[in-house]
Amino acid sequence: MTGQDLWYKDAIIYELHVKTFFDSNENGYGDFRGLTQKLDYLQDLGINCIWLLPFYKTPMKDDGYDISDFQEVSPEYGTMKDFQDFVKEAHRRDIKVLIELVLNHTSDQHPWFREARVSRASPKRDYYIWSDDPQKYKNARIIFTDTEKSNWTYDPQSGQYYWHRFFSHQPDLNYNNPQVRKAMHDVLFFWLKMGVDGFRLDAVPYLFERDGTNCENLPEVHAYLKGLRTQLDKSFKKKVLLAEANQWPADVRPYFGEGDECHMAFHFPLMPRIFMAIRKEDNTPILEIMRQTPSIPNSCQWALFLRNHDELTLEMVTQEERDYMYREYAADPKAKLNLGIRRRLAPLMNNGRRQMELLNSLLFSLPGTPIIYYGDEIGMGDNIYLGDRNGVRTPMQWNGNKNAGFSTVASDKLYAPLIIDPVYGYQAINVEAQNMTQSSFLNWTKRMIRVRKSLKAFGRGTIEFLRHKNPKILAYIRAHEDETLLIVNNLSRYVQPVELDLKHYDGWEPLELWGNVKFPKIGELPYFLTLGPHGFYWFRLIRIP
């Protein structure tokens, strides 16, 4: 693969839901025309890839993940032409477009399922998984523990139970059926022909079931994904598959194959440990999970995130760690959901600017491609009193005018209420005000993106963690070709000293990347640095001839 084919290694991904961004036609929902109008904002921010949450036709019982037609745009968001215009305008600005491919399940309103439940003899019956025995696959865990008591739901219409790993209104597709595999292949190619640059593959560990297993990460899943990748590579160039596999690193490793399965996968277990490390003021949680992270093929990449549209998931932590996270970050029981915490980045950090900056330093400098969740670049808040995970999916706050500049309709017609509390309300936190303030979090984020994009080592480099005596400091070297970077992070709320053994770089000069400030040359002796509370340094180490 050429360097250009590996564009996803250098990408800055921005995740958004079309409905949350900008309402151009006064129906209370964001739409594709509105999103297209806001592309200049995203280009100015510096991102070069947009990941869209589901926008397909849906009864909207699970915010669009319950799909009733994979090849139609939900009318609230516009038309297929609006979508195509958006992709064209994004590409004109060198912004790639990733969309969701929900492979695992459909809505119970999908024509396939409606036909399947008519009778046991229906031609579509075998598109789904049925059983007379609700104890089948009993080793499979229940994912939505707050709402579902079983992975089976009884269908009185046809007198059998159907299988679902998520909500009961989302029956799982039967991937043992070649017709299902062909149908989903057709969906993939339909959107590729529309010009998309890749897919986030939702919930891929659960595509197949087998008795006596936990029905996750089965060999059949990998065989299927490899086949999908082969077909993709044969017909299209520079397209990307991003696996959503909320698993331990060793279990995620097979999703890359030998560079012949998924190009990318989320590093789920790293995310809660970043939050743990900053609250414990200790580098151990990050170092331990990075030690457990296997190497991946050169053409592959981890996708990193701090927050997204789901809860801050605590599935891949121990019970003790989960209790600690709940204690520290979910004092209000309303903040808990399933096995996670439904909060945005700023409220998790109590609006602490330095902590938010430090977390972003880690996000942007550890190995992988960073993903920014819409609104986190301005420090948006949330509303934990909205149901499910909707509290982190409120309208984007553009300015202090009516409806935060999101829509001109009457406020009660908006798809969700605005954030109006004194700290995070749209009069206090909005794009317009932050654009006008040089020291704002938005302008700080733009600068970080600029620095990150100027050096390939961040997206493509190796990592070496430096040993030293202060556990409150996390320091590492990122290196790629002729670029050598030194990153030093202070996880503590107090000033911290650190002595780093850099004698391998004797005579080199550290250049601080944010202000282009030259620091004293490195010598034989340990290199001494002092960091302010939650401070960090990004250096480029320059070899002096």
Side-chain angles (χ1 to χ4, degrees):
M1 278 182 136
T2 67
Q4 235 185 346
D5 289 346
L6 301 173
W7 61 266
Y8 46 92
K9 289 199 162 209
D10 308 314
I12 312 288
I13 300 175
Y14 188 90
E15 179 198 355
L16 66 90
H17 203 323
V18 180
K19 75 171 183 184
T20 65
F21 222 56
F22 187 62
D23 175 13
S24 74
N25 63 356
E26 300 183 20
N27 67 350
Y29 283 80
D31 48 59
F32 277 111
R33 286 186 180 183
L35 177 54
T36 305
Q37 287 173 39
K38 294 296 184 183
L39 282 171
D40 287 346
Y41 164 75
L42 295 174
Q43 186 179 18
D44 182 53
L45 180 59
I47 63 101
N48 45 21
C49 182
I50 294 170
W51 156 27
L52 295 177
L53 295 180
F55 52 81
Y56 310 104
K57 197 171 180 196
T58 169
M60 203 52 105
K61 283 189 184 173
D62 183 22
D63 208 16
Y65 281 89
D66 50 326
I67 295 168
S68 56
D69 190 328
F70 285 101
Q71 297 183 6
E72 234 182 277
V73 172
S74 188
E76 296 95 338
Y77 309 145
T79 63
M80 191 61 80
K81 183 179 184 308
D82 294 337
F83 173 79
Q84 290 173 292
D85 289 346
F86 154 72
V87 172
K88 196 167 80 187
E89 284 301 312
H91 286 164
R92 202 165 64 76
R93 293 166 174 80
D94 289 326
I95 295 173
K96 309 271 190 194
V97 177
L98 297 182
I99 67 171
E100 289 277 349
L101 189 62
V102 182
L103 290 166
N104 184 67
H105 50 263
T106 69
S107 161
D108 59 6
Q109 302 302 305
H110 195 291
W112 297 343
F113 191 69
R114 282 182 157 172
E115 203 179 315
R117 72 197 315 183
V118 168
S119 91
R120 296 190 188 193
S122 161
K124 289 286 189 290
R125 185 73 174 177
D126 203 26
Y127 269 51
Y128 298 88
I129 300 147
W130 302 88
S131 174
D132 294 318
D133 177 15
Q135 292 306 306
K136 203 175 177 188
Y137 310 137
K138 64 178 185 293
N139 296 336
R141 66 195 168 105
I142 294 168
I143 293 166
F144 287 162
T145 52
D146 285 5
T147 51
E148 302 301 323
K149 300 292 169 259
S150 167
N151 288 321
W152 293 101
T153 291
Y154 187 68
D155 174 39
Q157 201 173 339
S158 61
Q160 268 187 315
Y161 295 90
Y162 62 86
W163 176 255
H164 55 88
R165 288 309 298 271
F166 295 95
F167 291 118
S168 57
H169 56 75
Q170 291 168 327
D172 277 25
L173 287 164
N174 175 17
Y175 276 85
N176 289 310
N177 181 349
Q179 289 173 293
V180 167
R181 298 200 294 272
K182 167 78 170 68
M184 296 313 286
H185 167 276
D186 291 348
V187 169
L188 182 94
F189 275 69
F190 174 85
W191 291 104
L192 286 166
K193 285 169 187 162
M194 292 287 172
V196 304
D197 299 288
F199 303 89
R200 172 192 179 266
L201 305 178
D202 181 66
V204 284
Y206 318 114
L207 299 185
F208 288 83
E209 299 73 34
R210 204 198 292 153
D211 257 329
T213 73
N214 67 356
C215 299
E216 297 181 24
N217 309 315
L218 296 178
E220 293 90 331
V221 171
H222 297 295
Y224 170 71
L225 290 174
K226 273 186 168 61
L228 205 60
R229 171 69 183 270
T230 302
Q231 292 164 333
L232 179 72
D233 287 350
K234 206 181 287 179
S235 305
F236 291 91
K237 295 279 174 270
K238 301 184 193 174
K239 306 297 184 185
V240 170
L241 299 177
L242 165 57
E244 188 221 13
N246 188 355
Q247 307 283 327
W248 292 101
D251 293 325
V252 178
R253 171 62 186 83
Y255 285 90
F256 297 113
E258 297 313 310
D260 60 352
E261 203 164 313
C262 292
H263 304 76
M264 302 177 76
F266 291 98
H267 200 319
F268 274 97
L270 174 62
M271 179 269 298
R273 285 167 180 81
I274 289 175
F275 287 95
M276 252 181 257
I278 194 172
R279 194 51 64 92
K280 288 184 168 181
E281 302 193 354
D282 184 349
N283 60 26
T284 310
I286 294 174
L287 290 175
E288 275 185 354
I289 201 67
M290 292 303 284
R291 264 197 290 273
Q292 285 179 45
T293 301
S295 61
I296 59 177
N298 283 339
S299 62
C300 295
Q301 181 81 321
W302 292 105
L304 307 184
F305 62 101
L306 295 171
R307 290 306 312 111
N308 63 15
H309 61 290
D310 284 332
E311 64 272 37
L312 190 165
T313 177
L314 300 175
E315 285 181 89
M316 297 301 129
V317 297
T318 64
Q319 186 59 53
E320 189 185 347
E321 289 168 333
R322 190 176 300 132
D323 291 344
Y324 175 81
M325 288 290 285
Y326 280 146
R327 206 163 52 244
E328 293 296 322
Y329 289 111
D332 185 331
K334 275 279 187 196
K336 294 181 189 177
L337 181 71
N338 298 317
L339 285 181
I341 301 168
R342 47 175 162 191
R343 302 234 68 166
R344 270 185 175 271
L345 181 63
L348 283 166
M349 292 298 108
N350 287 316
N351 215 22
R353 171 75 181 262
R354 280 182 171 175
Q355 288 146 284
M356 287 155 65
E357 290 179 0
L358 174 63
L359 285 176
N360 275 287
S361 165
L362 293 165
L363 172 71
F364 276 73
S365 64
L366 285 167
T369 293
I371 298 172
I372 301 168
Y373 186 49
Y374 87 94
D376 278 357
E377 74 275 19
I378 58 171
M380 256 175 74
D382 53 37
N383 181 352
I384 57 175
Y385 299 97
L386 293 178
D388 195 20
R389 291 153 289 180
N390 297 324
V392 300
R393 304 175 184 182
T394 56
M396 181 67 176
Q397 294 169 196
W398 293 105
N399 56 44
N401 301 339
K402 180 185 173 184
N403 296 336
F406 164 77
S407 174
T408 55
V409 294
S411 298
D412 55 2
K413 289 186 180 164
L414 297 177
Y415 75 87
L418 295 149
I419 304 289
I420 53 171
D421 70 52
V423 178
Y424 301 105
Y426 63 90
Q427 291 93 343
I429 304 281
N430 65 68
V431 169
E432 185 179 73
Q434 292 201 19
N435 259 333
M436 289 156 52
T437 312
Q438 211 39 54
S439 60
S440 69
F441 192 59
L442 174 60
N443 280 315
W444 181 91
T445 305
K446 286 181 192 176
R447 199 162 170 202
M448 174 165 264
I449 290 172
R450 242 187 351 262
V451 174
R452 155 89 192 206
K453 282 165 72 178
S454 69
L455 293 156
K456 291 267 195 255
F458 284 116
R460 301 182 182 222
T462 55
I463 187 162
E464 176 202 349
F465 288 98
L466 300 176
R467 292 168 180 243
H468 51 80
K469 289 181 179 163
N470 188 344
K472 296 181 187 299
I473 300 288
L474 182 71
Y476 39 94
I477 298 279
R478 303 294 317 276
H480 176 71
E481 294 175 352
D482 63 341
E483 294 174 6
T484 304
L485 311 178
L486 168 64
I487 314 294
V488 191
N489 301 284
N490 176 11
L491 302 168
S492 169
R493 61 199 188 278
Y494 301 116
V495 172
Q496 293 294 329
V498 67
E499 291 185 333
L500 300 173
D501 178 5
L502 298 175
K503 57 176 175 286
H504 181 66
Y505 304 100
D506 186 8
W508 292 39
E509 189 174 68
L511 177 70
E512 198 278 323
L513 288 169
W514 286 63
N516 283 327
V517 178
K518 289 179 181 176
F519 270 54
K521 274 185 193 167
I522 298 164
E524 288 265 321
L525 295 172
Y527 198 78
F528 181 75
L529 288 168
T530 309
L531 291 92
H534 293 129
F536 64 89
Y537 288 123
W538 286 8
F539 295 111
R540 180 166 187 182
L541 302 183
I542 312 287
R543 189 198 292 265
I544 306 297

